[in-house]
Amino acid sequence: PQIVLSVYGPDFFGHDVVRGYGAVHVPFTPGRHRRTIAMFVPESTSRLQQFISWFTGRRPEFTDPKVVAQGEGREVTRVRSQGFVTISFNIM
């Protein structure tokens, strides 16, 4: 099992835009586990598309969370690193 994160937040104009995606496998062993998830965000491929998406507030985002979890086909997608999220698990 995996947990897929989609983090959203306001941009300069107040539009709700994606701040990052990430995924982590849930540990199987009992106890307290801490995982750091590297977050990434998709980018436009050209400068014109980047300007238009910034101006309109409609930035590229994934519509299917399976893209984040599986990684299949993601090698052709342009992404940018966007920080980290730390998550704690208490497994019984």
Side-chain angles (χ1 to χ4, degrees):
Q2 289 186 31
I3 292 181
V4 176
L5 298 175
S6 300
V7 180
Y8 290 84
D11 65 357
F12 182 74
F13 298 110
H15 300 117
D16 201 24
V17 296
V18 66
R19 293 293 185 186
Y21 294 106
V24 65
H25 289 277
V26 177
F28 287 116
T29 57
R32 177 175 225 147
H33 302 276
R34 184 175 224 172
R35 299 289 187 259
T36 301
I37 306 166
M39 303 298 284
F40 61 90
V41 63
E43 281 194 330
S44 300
T45 55
S46 73
R47 294 283 181 204
L48 179 61
Q49 286 177 334
Q50 288 176 353
F51 175 74
I52 291 172
S53 66
W54 176 81
F55 186 72
T56 61
R58 301 210 23 107
R59 297 186 182 164
E61 57 183 89
F62 296 127
T63 56
D64 188 8
K66 290 180 183 177
V67 174
V68 178
Q70 294 175 345
E72 185 176 316
R74 210 172 60 194
E75 67 274 0
V76 296
T77 306
R78 179 181 281 184
V79 295
R80 177 175 35 97
S81 179
Q82 192 69 18
F84 298 93
V85 171
T86 301
I87 190 169
S88 295
F89 295 97
N90 291 312
I91 306 295
M92 293 177 52

